[in-house]
Amino acid sequence: MGRSIKEKMQEFAVNQALNYLGSDPEENIPKLMAMVDRFMPDDWYASQRNAIRKAIEEKNNWYQLILRMYELDEGVRKTFFRNFITNASLKGSAIQKESEEKYHCNIPWAILLDPTTACNLNCTGCWAAEYGHQFNLSLGTIDSIIRQGKELGTYMYIYTGGEPTVRKKDIIKICEMHPDCEFLAFTNGTLIDEEFCQDMLRVKNFVPAISLEGFEKANDGRRGSGVYQKVRRAMDLMKSHKLPFGISACYTSQNFEDISSEAFYDMMIESGALFVWYFHYMPVGKGAVTELLPTPEQREEMYHRIRHFRETKPIFGMDFQNDGEYVGGCIAGGRRYLHINAKGDVEPCVFIHYSNVNIHDCSLLDALRSPIFMAYHEQQPFNGNHLRPCPMLENPERLRQMVKETKAVNTDYQDPESVDELCDKCEPYAANWKPTADKLWTTIDKMQQ
């Protein structure tokens, strides 16, 4: 009963705050922060409140990003805040913590799902292509996963693929079935049209993250001729409908200059994107092009550029491979997320295709307590230097050990790749990155002292 009352109070407070801000955000944001400071204990979310207070006082890029969110459709904005802040972060995190203590395993903040392996593109180096194109998770299976997830405290669901929007009607139906959850999809954006925009406005809890690999030459060189212009049209359409969206960018040795440039940031902001998630190229699959792996110098430059623009541009940027310092290293294996492919195999990471269990044969909780997931739980972090977080890319000996000890099997159905084949490709990269990562980590340690 205690938690139920607390949840209702939190939901009431968030709703009141959203209504208050909606009337005049620029006038009321400073007033609301003053009210929060007055009524909230001094030690509650102190660092976050200080950052918000600084943004308001300086009217810096973070403040401008907050105001940009008030250009969105009101219903979509309120639903996002309610589902993301109240359900996924406040209520969800509390239930996740209880579940972790009860079951002694990782409980994810987000679950990544592949509705289908089908895709209308054939991008160079795509890890998803390793699954083939013939598999789908049924509507009933996706619903079951989400229901089980909510019992454990997970209210954030992210579609990967394949191309999720190949199944537009089903993913919209799931949004209707679970209005208390927030759904995001990594999509190539080419199938976003007027009808789909109207569906997004109606359900209010679906946010696309459009894959973009730079400007037209760099993007279409990997994704195919004409894709860049289709993506720009999709972004224009969503901006005109006041819909939230972001960008997903994979950086390689070939495109890192494009996608980390100020011109690219300005293009994303002007197009209406609110966030950009950067992913390091991973040499997954027998056909992986290892030459696309960034050099240590290129990765270090990405590290510095993203931090610079995070302080100067009104868009939220995150680099999942270089931001380990903020999340304590690897977040896979259910520590913050897990991945379920379109055949139902439950994998610790979207890039690491080894599993002991299939969701059609076990519960979500059973999967989280399966051998490979418990190996993650017991061994994270995989490196004290959180700029070397991954058990595959930067610590391949750890993945090699875990897969062999847990007898996890490869889930790439087109051309299975042994863990030795995968890790052998990563060892030179890991050795080359280590000196640069250690230098950066030493700098971080000195700054924090």
Side-chain angles (χ1 to χ4, degrees):
M1 174 66 74
R3 190 173 71 193
S4 177
I5 294 173
K6 183 178 180 181
E7 288 172 3
K8 290 178 180 177
M9 291 177 64
Q10 288 175 339
E11 184 174 358
F12 175 77
V14 171
N15 286 337
Q16 290 297 100
L18 293 177
N19 290 332
Y20 180 64
L21 287 176
S23 60
D24 188 344
E26 199 153 7
E27 174 72 21
N28 291 333
I29 284 173
K31 296 178 182 177
L32 182 63
M33 195 64 223
M35 288 167 49
V36 169
D37 287 338
R38 188 160 59 247
F39 293 110
M40 187 176 282
D42 290 341
D43 59 343
W44 281 21
Y45 304 104
S47 61
Q48 292 92 331
R49 285 158 55 200
N50 287 337
I52 294 171
R53 192 179 302 106
K54 179 182 178 183
I56 294 169
E57 291 171 354
E58 297 179 356
K59 289 187 166 44
N60 63 16
N61 61 303
W62 291 99
Y63 179 76
Q64 297 305 318
L65 177 58
I66 294 171
L67 293 183
R68 287 187 65 209
M69 296 191 73
Y70 278 86
E71 297 172 4
L72 299 175
D73 174 83
E74 182 180 9
V76 173
R77 182 183 67 245
K78 285 186 175 180
T79 299
F80 172 79
F81 280 134
R82 191 176 301 116
N83 287 352
F84 187 83
I85 296 175
T86 303
N87 297 344
S89 300
L90 295 176
K91 180 175 76 172
S93 295
I95 300 172
Q96 289 162 31
K97 184 176 180 180
E98 290 180 6
S99 299
E100 287 174 352
E101 293 171 353
K102 181 178 180 180
Y103 299 115
H104 306 289
C105 64
N106 286 333
I107 302 295
W109 177 78
I111 292 177
L112 275 63
L113 300 163
D114 293 354
T116 181
T117 52
C119 185
N120 60 324
L121 299 182
N122 184 24
C123 304
T124 303
C126 175
W127 57 265
E130 302 304 313
Y131 293 122
H133 289 171
Q134 68 269 42
F135 300 112
N136 295 280
L137 288 176
S138 71
L139 187 68
T141 298
I142 297 173
D143 177 49
S144 174
I145 292 167
I146 294 170
R147 290 183 185 279
Q148 293 180 67
K150 288 197 287 187
E151 288 292 321
L152 298 172
T154 305
Y155 285 80
M156 188 78 190
Y157 295 86
I158 303 174
Y159 295 122
T160 53
E163 170 51 45
T165 58
V166 167
R167 293 183 62 188
K168 289 179 183 179
K169 293 187 183 301
D170 283 343
I171 61 178
I172 290 296
K173 178 66 175 175
I174 286 289
C175 289
E176 294 172 331
M177 295 166 71
H178 297 279
D180 53 347
C181 293
E182 193 66 23
F183 296 91
L184 184 141
F186 291 112
T187 171
N188 60 45
T190 60
L191 300 179
I192 294 174
D193 55 16
E194 174 66 28
E195 182 181 0
F196 194 52
C197 285
Q198 292 300 328
D199 282 337
M200 286 189 275
L201 284 169
R202 178 169 54 80
V203 297
K204 299 178 175 58
N205 58 340
F206 182 86
V207 180
I210 299 177
S211 297
L212 204 57
E213 310 298 344
F215 292 107
E216 191 162 11
K217 182 180 178 181
N219 184 79
D220 288 3
R222 185 175 179 212
R223 295 188 168 271
S225 178
V227 171
Y228 180 81
Q229 291 302 327
K230 290 179 181 178
V231 167
R232 292 301 303 266
R233 285 194 291 273
M235 292 193 293
D236 288 344
L237 192 59
M238 285 187 291
K239 183 180 180 181
S240 70
H241 285 83
K242 300 183 178 181
L243 285 163
F245 69 92
I247 300 298
S248 167
C250 174
Y251 60 93
T252 73
S253 60
Q254 302 301 308
N255 73 347
F256 98 98
E257 281 285 0
D258 243 27
I259 64 173
S260 62
S261 67
E262 184 167 19
F264 188 70
Y265 266 83
D266 289 343
M267 181 275 291
M268 291 189 290
I269 295 166
E270 189 276 331
S271 296
L274 295 170
F275 62 89
V276 53
W277 286 359
Y278 284 102
F279 295 91
H280 188 290
Y281 175 76
M282 297 290 193
V284 178
K286 286 188 176 181
V289 183
T290 55
E291 290 77 15
L292 289 175
L293 284 165
T295 66
E297 294 78 16
Q298 290 171 331
R299 180 168 170 181
E300 180 180 11
E301 186 64 22
M302 286 293 297
Y303 174 93
H304 291 301
R305 290 187 188 185
I306 290 171
R307 279 157 177 74
H308 169 70
F309 291 130
R310 198 180 281 156
E311 297 300 321
T312 56
K313 299 291 184 181
I315 184 171
F316 177 69
M318 186 170 184
D319 179 346
F320 283 87
Q321 210 64 24
N322 279 340
D323 279 343
E325 64 187 276
Y326 304 116
V327 291
C330 173
I331 62 172
R335 181 170 167 258
R336 291 292 180 269
Y337 90 96
L338 58 80
H339 177 240
I340 303 175
N341 70 25
K343 197 178 179 182
D345 297 306
V346 187
E347 303 166 336
C349 177
V350 72
F351 299 113
I352 297 179
H353 303 160
Y354 300 92
S355 177
N356 296 112
V357 291
N358 189 288
I359 200 66
H360 297 117
D361 305 320
C362 71
S363 68
L364 180 61
L365 180 59
D366 287 338
L368 287 162
R369 299 174 79 178
S370 67
I372 189 72
F373 276 84
M374 290 309 297
Y376 269 73
H377 177 260
E378 292 160 9
Q379 296 189 39
Q380 286 167 321
F382 297 108
N383 198 305
N385 180 341
H386 296 326
L387 295 178
R388 299 168 59 204
C390 179
M392 178 187 76
L393 190 66
E394 293 105 353
N395 306 278
E397 72 284 355
R398 304 297 292 273
L399 180 64
R400 199 189 304 264
Q401 171 201 355
M402 288 192 297
V403 169
K404 291 183 176 182
E405 289 183 352
T406 63
K407 296 180 171 56
V409 298
N410 186 251
T411 56
D412 291 350
Y413 308 116
Q414 294 286 86
D415 195 4
E417 179 178 45
S418 74
V419 70
D420 287 323
E421 290 174 304
L422 175 60
C423 292
D424 285 349
K425 289 184 293 188
C426 296
E427 283 183 347
Y429 177 93
N432 290 336
W433 170 241
K434 181 180 183 301
T436 303
D438 288 348
K439 177 192 69 175
L440 291 170
W441 193 246
T442 299
T443 302
I444 293 169
D445 273 347
K446 288 180 179 178
M447 291 175 61
Q448 293 177 344
Q449 288 173 2

